[in-house]
Amino acid sequence: MAAHTHFFTSESVGEGHPDKVCDQISDAVLDEVFENDKNKEKCRVACETYVTMGLMIVGGEITTDAFIDVQKLARRVIKDIGYTHPKYGFDYHTCAVVNAINAQSPDIAQGVNTGGAGDQGIMFGYACKETEELMPLPIALAHKLVKRMADVRRDATLKYLGPDCKSQVTVEYENDKPVRIDSVVLACQHTEEILDSTGNQITEKARQEMVEVVAKPVLKEFIDTKTKYYVNQTGKFVIGGPQSDTGMTGRKIIVDTYGGVVPHGGGAFSGKDPTKVDRSAAYMCRYVAKNIVAAGLAEKFSVQLSYVIGYADPLSIFVETFGTGKISDEQFVALIRKSFDLTPTGIIKALDLRRPLYVKTACYGHFGRMEPEFTWEKTDKVDALKKAAVTL
C-alpha cells in the first residue's frame, strides 16, 4: 500500500511582535498582583493591553489590595523585550502608557468567590508522541525558531536583528508520522546595515546567514536538500513592532496552544487569573492529555471540557483518540473523572496556579515547556492512570 502523505503548517511569533508585547504586559500585571497581594485567593485579574506606535493602553478589571505601578511595570517589560532604542520605532523611554484598569464586577464575583467557574466556555487539551515534549512537531519547531532569533539577537551573534520576528514551519507527514520539513519561513526585523545598494532588499549574504545561524541549528535532522527557505520575503523588515502594526492581548491563541492541530477553546489566556477557566482549565486539559499519552494509553489524545459561570464542575467531557486509544472513549471519560479534580478550586490547587509564573508563559507557547513553573507539563499521574485504567 502506498504511503499517505500530507503537509501541516504552524507558526509562531517572537517576544517583540506587537500582540506578544501585549500578552507579556498583561501577564506581568498578573504576576505583580500575585507577588504583592498577601490575600491571593481574593485576587481577580482580567488585564488587556493595546499597543500602537508610541502608545500603550493597559486596561481591564482587577481586584487586589496591592499597589501596581502600571507605568513602571510596562516600561520594564518593554525594555526587557529589547525595545531600548528609537531605531526600532518604539522604545521604553518615550512610549506613552495609559492606565485604564477598573475593579471586577460584583455580579461575577458572587459566583466565583464560592468556587464556581469565572465564566462559561470550552477548553481543549492535546498531546501526541511526535516530540519529546509530547507536542505536535510543527508548533514545537516554530517556537524554537523564534526563540533562537531572540537568543542570537541578545548575544549579538546577529547584531542587526530587532525584537520583532515570526516563523512558520511546514512538516511533511507519511502515514501520520513526521518525516521531513518541506518549508521554513523566517521574518526577522533588522536594522538598515544589511540592506543592499537599492535599499529595498537585504543582501543574499544576510539571508543565508539567517538560514545557517537561526534555522539549521534548530531544524537539524528534519531538513534535507529539498527544504525551501523563505527569509524576509518582502525584501526587508526594518519597520517592525508597534511602529508597523497594532497589538492586542489574546490575538495569538493558536500560537499559544497547539498550532492549529486541534480546536482551540473560546478564550485567550494572558492577563487572566486562574479562576478564569479559559486559562486554568486549558492548562488542566493539557495536564490530562499529556499524562494519558505518557502512560501509553493513547498515541494522540485530545480532551474538551465545558463550564458555566458560577458552577464548579465541568458540564461535559469529550475525548478524541484518533483511533489510537487502548480503552474506549467512555472509559477515558470515567478515568478522567476519577483521576483529576476538574473544579476551578481543584485545578488551582493541583497545578499551584496562584503564584507569579505567568509572564514566562506569554511567549514561546504555554505548552511543551519543561521549566519548573509549568506544572501542567508534569507526568506525575502516569502510574496512577495505568493502574486505574486496568480496573475500568
Side-chain angles (χ1 to χ4, degrees):
M1 183 181 294
H4 169 69
T5 300
H6 75 273
F7 298 83
F8 194 87
T9 303
S10 293
E11 71 160 346
S12 184
V13 299
E15 59 194 73
H17 186 281
D19 294 330
K20 276 294 152 201
V21 171
C22 293
D23 285 345
Q24 290 167 90
I25 297 292
S26 294
D27 272 337
V29 171
L30 174 58
D31 280 352
E32 197 78 358
V33 169
F34 278 141
E35 183 74 46
N36 293 286
D37 197 318
K38 295 180 181 179
N39 194 356
K40 293 177 175 55
E41 291 188 2
K42 290 187 177 180
C43 294
R44 300 289 182 267
V45 178
C47 183
E48 307 282 347
T49 304
Y50 167 87
V51 66
T52 188
M53 186 168 62
L55 174 66
M56 173 172 289
I57 301 173
V58 184
E61 298 77 45
I62 297 180
T63 300
T64 180
D65 292 331
F67 170 72
I68 309 300
D69 189 336
V70 173
Q71 285 255 355
K72 182 178 179 181
L73 179 65
R75 294 185 193 282
R76 187 189 76 204
V77 174
I78 295 167
K79 180 181 179 181
D80 289 346
I81 289 169
Y83 286 115
T84 58
H85 193 280
K87 67 183 177 182
Y88 299 126
F90 182 83
D91 69 274
Y92 78 101
H93 290 292
T94 61
C95 72
V97 180
V98 177
N99 184 348
I101 294 173
N102 298 297
Q104 185 186 52
S105 163
D107 294 350
I108 297 175
Q110 69 180 10
V112 178
N113 291 344
T114 58
D119 202 352
Q120 71 177 55
I122 57 174
M123 302 84 209
F124 288 88
Y126 179 71
C128 64
K129 290 194 171 180
E130 289 183 19
T131 65
E132 182 181 357
E133 305 92 337
L134 304 185
M135 286 287 287
L137 183 63
I139 189 65
L141 292 178
H143 285 321
K144 289 177 181 179
L145 284 173
V146 290
K147 179 62 166 61
R148 175 71 177 166
M149 288 187 224
D151 289 343
V152 299
R153 168 174 60 88
R154 292 181 188 281
D155 67 17
T157 300
L158 298 182
K159 61 182 179 179
Y160 50 75
L161 292 184
D164 195 358
C165 63
K166 299 175 75 172
S167 70
Q168 189 168 285
V169 178
T170 299
V171 174
E172 181 178 348
Y173 288 78
E174 285 186 4
N175 298 327
D176 289 331
K177 303 292 184 184
V179 293
R180 61 178 292 274
I181 291 172
D182 184 67
S183 66
V184 182
V185 177
L186 301 177
C188 314
Q189 184 187 15
H190 59 86
T191 55
E192 294 184 349
E193 66 189 88
I194 59 169
L195 295 178
D196 65 14
S197 58
T198 70
N200 294 318
Q201 296 280 333
I202 62 172
T203 64
E204 187 57 35
K205 176 180 180 294
R207 182 174 279 110
Q208 190 59 38
E209 191 172 38
M210 292 182 201
V211 171
E212 296 294 332
V213 174
V214 175
K216 289 185 177 180
V218 169
L219 306 177
K220 297 177 181 176
E221 71 271 19
F222 290 103
I223 55 178
D224 57 28
T225 57
K226 295 182 179 180
T227 299
K228 300 176 284 291
Y229 299 92
Y230 303 91
V231 180
N232 288 14
Q233 198 63 20
T234 63
K236 65 177 182 178
F237 186 7
V238 173
I239 299 174
Q243 183 185 22
S244 66
D245 196 7
T246 59
M248 294 185 72
T249 299
R251 286 207 303 200
K252 287 293 177 283
I253 58 177
I254 302 303
V255 168
D256 286 340
T257 54
Y258 306 101
V261 170
V262 292
H264 190 286
F269 301 156
S270 289
K272 297 178 181 177
D273 77 80
T275 66
K276 281 75 170 173
V277 284
D278 278 341
R279 181 171 219 163
S280 56
Y283 289 179
M284 177 55 82
C285 284
R286 166 64 176 171
Y287 183 55
V288 170
K290 186 173 185 181
N291 275 273
I292 285 174
V293 171
L297 299 176
E299 294 286 316
K300 300 179 182 179
F301 191 84
S302 174
V303 57
Q304 182 209 58
L305 301 179
S306 69
Y307 290 84
V308 64
I309 190 168
Y311 188 75
D313 291 308
L315 302 184
S316 66
I317 303 174
F318 172 77
V319 303
E320 172 62 67
T321 66
F322 310 91
T324 69
K326 301 297 177 62
I327 58 179
S328 70
D329 289 356
E330 292 79 9
Q331 288 174 314
F332 270 121
V333 171
L335 179 65
I336 292 168
R337 290 191 184 277
K338 179 179 180 180
S339 305
F340 300 91
D341 186 342
L342 302 176
T343 65
T345 300
I347 293 170
I348 291 168
K349 181 179 179 181
L351 302 181
D352 191 17
L353 296 179
R354 282 198 176 102
R355 57 196 172 98
L357 63 92
Y358 293 99
V359 73
K360 200 169 186 178
T361 70
C363 199
Y364 311 122
H366 292 246
F367 307 124
R369 309 271 297 278
M370 305 311 293
E371 294 96 326
E373 294 91 344
F374 292 67
T375 51
W376 48 94
E377 293 295 322
K378 295 187 298 183
T379 52
D380 54 351
K381 287 278 192 176
V382 165
D383 291 340
L385 287 170
K386 288 179 179 179
K387 292 177 183 178
V390 174
T391 64
L392 293 174

